Amino acid sequence: MHQQLGIFSLSGNDRLPGPAYDKEHPDGLYQPVSCDFTDELESAVVLKTRLSLTFYGPHGLTTMDGVIISDLKSEANGEWLILPDQQRVRLDFIHEIRIHRSL
């Protein structure tokens, strides 16, 4: 993986469009995500990559800067990204992920 260089292998840069990138707001039914996208997230977990995560939450599009993904979980109702505070984000609700750059 190229992530240690600050680059996602899927996109070739520090920005990775998520499954919900081209949607106004995903509906309630879980839509499976690509294995390649999940692989990028798994790499971020292992490398403890600090990310800017943009996703659809209960109040619309939300961005969290400087997060590190703790884990990924697969359950009957979908696949989830788990943050250190145990907040869960459904993978198909992810709009975009960027490798966080400290200023």
Side-chain angles (χ1 to χ4, degrees), residues 7 26 29 54 57 60 71 75 85-87:
I7 297 172
L29 299 175
T54 303
D71 201 1
E75 298 176 357
D85 64 359
Q86 299 305 306
Q87 181 175 349

Side-chain angles (χ1 to χ4, degrees), residues 19-74:
Y21 188 76
D22 292 329
K23 299 178 181 176
E24 279 188 41
H25 192 289
D27 62 25
L29 299 175
Y30 179 72
Q31 299 296 314
V33 301
S34 78
C35 291
D36 291 335
F37 184 77
T38 304
D39 288 346
E40 293 281 9
L41 295 177
E42 288 173 348
S43 179
V45 170
V46 170
L47 296 172
K48 298 187 183 333
T49 305
R50 197 167 291 279
L51 304 168
S52 292
L53 172 66
T54 303
F55 61 96
Y56 286 98
H59 304 291
L61 212 51
T62 302
T63 298
M64 299 175 75
D65 289 320
V67 299
I68 296 175
I69 303 169
S70 294
D71 201 1
L72 299 173
K73 298 275 186 196
S74 184

Side-chain angles (χ1 to χ4, degrees), residues 73-100:
K73 298 275 186 196
S74 184
E75 298 176 357
N77 62 344
E79 295 175 284
W80 302 84
L81 175 154
I82 312 298
L83 299 174
D85 64 359
Q86 299 305 306
Q87 181 175 349
R88 298 159 48 102
V89 176
R90 215 169 81 179
L91 297 191
D92 63 330
F93 281 19
I94 296 174
H95 177 73
E96 180 179 77
I97 297 174
R98 289 181 180 262
I99 295 176
H100 184 74

